[in-house]
Amino acid sequence: MSKFKKKKSGDLPAISTASLPDIVFMLLFFFMVATVMRENELSVENNLPLAGEVEKLSDKNKVAFIYIGKPNEKMQKQFGTNDVVQLGDKISSVKQVQDYVNTKRNKMNEDEKDEFLVSLKVDRNSKVGILTDVKQELRDAYALKVNYTSKEGNSMKNIKK
């Protein structure tokens, strides 16, 4: 009789799952860092003007964005080719600006309401009339801190020849 038994051929060792949680957390961390959350889906053309003195907003949670421009190709059948106002994800009338701003402000904490800011993202080819109407609605809503969003660059390139 022999003391040693021969190994049976074809048996595979058990797979170790000790490192599996590390791999799962590493993938989770990667996707959390690499994923970009969308703010709004633009329904208007938004070719921003250039400006020389540009500052980044420190806290976008305290900002309500209003987009002004011509509807993009998908929306032109429904809204035509005149300038429109986009509040959040939908195209709205100028009269709804006041309700939109008040709703955004009321969702904020009481301490942060003093820091509430409205950022206007106006297409460089938009008419001034609709912008004036939006600014009047903002005054009526007591949203007096207004910011104009632009791209950094030479502002002289904004002038049409």
Side-chain angles (χ1 to χ4, degrees):
M1 258 204 198
S2 79
K3 287 184 170 181
F4 302 103
K5 293 183 180 178
K6 287 187 177 182
K7 270 189 166 180
K8 294 179 183 177
S9 63
D11 285 348
L12 294 174
I15 297 174
S16 173
T17 58
S19 63
L20 192 59
D22 293 336
I23 294 170
V24 170
F25 283 116
M26 191 169 46
L27 285 171
L28 177 67
F29 182 73
F30 171 77
F31 286 114
M32 284 174 52
V33 170
T35 302
V36 177
M37 303 301 251
R38 88 174 163 89
E39 289 179 24
N40 292 317
E41 185 175 328
L42 285 179
S43 299
V44 297
E45 293 177 8
N46 201 243
N47 187 11
L48 297 174
L50 302 174
E53 298 292 323
V54 178
E55 292 181 27
K56 279 199 148 212
L57 292 174
S58 59
D59 191 3
K60 291 187 178 180
N61 293 331
K62 301 172 187 170
V63 179
F65 292 99
I66 298 176
Y67 302 91
I68 300 174
K70 294 189 183 333
N72 60 19
E73 290 179 16
K74 289 190 314 188
M75 304 302 265
Q76 281 183 358
K77 292 177 185 173
Q78 186 176 0
F79 296 102
T81 57
N82 293 332
D83 291 337
V84 293
V85 177
Q86 179 178 340
L87 306 171
D89 279 340
K90 65 179 188 168
I91 293 178
S92 306
S93 71
V94 175
K95 297 294 181 194
Q96 294 172 320
V97 169
Q98 195 170 352
D99 292 334
Y100 173 75
V101 169
N102 288 332
T103 303
K104 284 281 195 181
R105 187 185 302 135
N106 290 336
K107 287 181 182 178
M108 297 174 65
N109 294 335
E110 199 63 40
D111 300 339
E112 297 175 339
K113 286 185 180 181
D114 292 338
E115 300 171 21
F116 180 70
L117 176 73
V118 176
S119 181
L120 297 174
K121 293 189 173 191
V122 184
D123 185 70
R124 70 169 58 174
N125 298 320
S126 293
K127 305 281 187 228
V128 177
I130 192 164
L131 176 61
T132 305
D133 295 342
V134 169
K135 287 181 1 181
Q136 184 60 47
E137 288 294 318
L138 292 173
R139 280 187 211 109
D140 294 343
Y142 297 105
L144 304 177
K145 292 182 183 177
V146 178
N147 167 338
Y148 292 93
T149 304
S150 65
K151 293 180 187 173
E152 191 169 2
N154 183 2
S155 59
M156 295 305 289
K157 291 183 180 178
N158 293 327
I159 300 172
K160 292 182 182 178
K161 293 180 181 178

